[in-house]
Amino acid sequence: MKRTTLALLGLVSLAACAQAPQGAAADAAGSQAATAQAPAPAPKAAPRPDTPEGRALAALRELDPNIEPDRLRAAPIPGFREAIVSGQTLYVSDDGRYVFIPGVNGALFDIRQQKNLSEASLASLRRELLQEIPKSERIVFAPPDPKYTVTVFTDVECGYCRKLHQEIAEYNRQGIAIEYLAFPRMGLGSEDYRKMVAVWCAPDRRRALTDAKNDRPVPVRECKTTVNQQYALGQRVGLTGTPMILAPDGTQLGGYVPPRQLRERLDKLAQGGAGAGAP
């Protein structure tokens, strides 16, 4: 099974990773003996393969042979079936080719091509939008001859941004250049924002950024910067948290990704791999 499919299954099974409330867990433990004797529910009759429900079920089982929807019926969207799997609602086209997962990070998948169509469209837009920020406004940490260059929206306060920066030398050893853009996650006008403006106004931005991420003081400065523009750009490219790593083609590679793993994802993307994007 290809990685694109596995990524989709990861979205489907998010609810299964949530920890049950303590009260519910206690109730479950207390009733274990009683429920152990409960008869298993009768298996549901499988829909005929030549029906929209049958094709939808077959499509879902291409993703996971063990999928057993709790509900499968006509959707409010014409041409789709609605499936509920482990508390997650999915929409499958009546021909069994497309699966749509709604939500904040919703996506439309083409099962036949093993492709996330939503991410492909957004990646194309990101690539165009990133060109609005000139190279001179990025803070760059790069090896002499980088194999890959990624854009990272960063914040000076967030823990994973700091962790990524602590490993900047290893990213460079992996042949990866990091081009930082500012995204003060506390918003414009915040203390976080003022620190990032001071970094971008510093005569040595690389040193100032490293100092800020290590709680060393950065002299307060004001100058004409594109920090506001970078912040707005982050919102336009779909940023929901920092750091955000983007490949040259606009594909989102994740938040914090360890150096070796990031190199592997970039290699797969360069080879046309379907699973190089964020999980």
Side-chain angles (χ1 to χ4, degrees):
M1 185 176 292
K2 296 183 180 180
R3 284 286 305 273
T4 299
T5 299
L6 293 177
L8 174 56
L9 290 178
L11 289 171
V12 172
S13 61
L14 280 177
C17 298
Q19 184 176 357
Q22 291 184 358
D27 291 344
S31 61
Q32 183 175 5
T35 57
Q37 303 301 321
K44 299 177 182 178
R48 288 171 41 193
D50 59 346
T51 64
E53 285 79 9
R55 288 188 289 270
L57 182 60
L60 291 174
R61 286 180 175 168
E62 279 191 45
L63 307 177
D64 182 350
N66 298 315
I67 278 183
E68 190 61 54
D70 294 299
R71 175 173 290 169
L72 182 58
R73 64 184 183 182
I77 310 170
F80 280 79
R81 300 294 104 177
E82 179 185 81
I84 300 179
V85 182
S86 300
Q88 172 72 57
T89 302
L90 312 175
Y91 297 97
V92 187
S93 62
D94 287 349
D95 61 3
R97 177 167 180 175
Y98 300 102
V99 175
F100 173 64
I101 303 177
V104 175
N105 295 314
L108 177 66
F109 287 83
D110 184 329
I111 295 177
R112 188 179 303 169
Q113 294 186 0
Q114 298 282 310
K115 186 176 183 181
N116 182 336
L117 300 178
S118 300
E119 175 60 23
S121 179
L122 187 53
S124 175
L125 176 62
R126 291 189 190 114
R127 186 172 62 251
E128 296 176 12
L129 293 176
L130 288 173
Q131 295 175 7
E132 297 179 6
I133 306 297
K135 295 288 185 180
S136 61
E137 281 298 303
R138 306 177 186 208
I139 300 180
V140 181
F141 291 80
D145 296 300
K147 174 72 173 177
Y148 302 109
T149 299
V150 298
T151 300
V152 178
F153 281 90
T154 193
D155 175 82
V156 296
E157 298 288 353
C158 84
Y160 280 113
C161 295
R162 293 185 173 197
K163 181 174 177 60
L164 188 153
H165 194 65
Q166 288 168 358
E167 299 175 333
I168 202 76
E170 183 57 30
Y171 287 104
N172 288 171
R173 279 192 287 270
Q174 292 289 334
I176 303 170
I178 304 289
E179 294 188 351
Y180 281 123
L181 293 180
F183 191 86
R185 62 196 178 110
M186 301 306 291
L188 301 181
S190 64
E191 179 64 23
D192 184 26
Y193 166 79
R194 287 189 285 272
K195 288 181 181 179
M196 300 202 77
V197 169
V199 167
W200 255 258
C201 289
D204 186 343
R205 291 175 178 173
R206 286 160 47 99
R207 179 175 179 178
L209 183 63
T210 300
D211 285 344
K213 290 192 176 190
N214 285 281
D215 291 324
R216 293 192 289 266
V218 176
V220 176
R221 292 182 176 90
E222 292 185 3
C223 66
K224 184 178 180 180
T225 73
T226 59
V227 169
N228 289 39
Q229 184 183 0
Q230 294 175 45
Y231 177 78
L233 183 63
Q235 295 174 316
R236 293 169 69 192
V237 301
L239 187 152
T240 57
T242 52
M244 179 190 200
I245 303 174
L246 299 178
D249 71 346
T251 298
Q252 182 178 355
L253 297 171
Y256 166 75
V257 181
R260 186 180 297 275
Q261 186 177 342
L262 182 59
R263 175 59 191 260
E264 291 173 355
R265 292 188 184 181
L266 287 164
D267 286 340
K268 288 181 179 179
L269 189 63
Q271 297 164 8

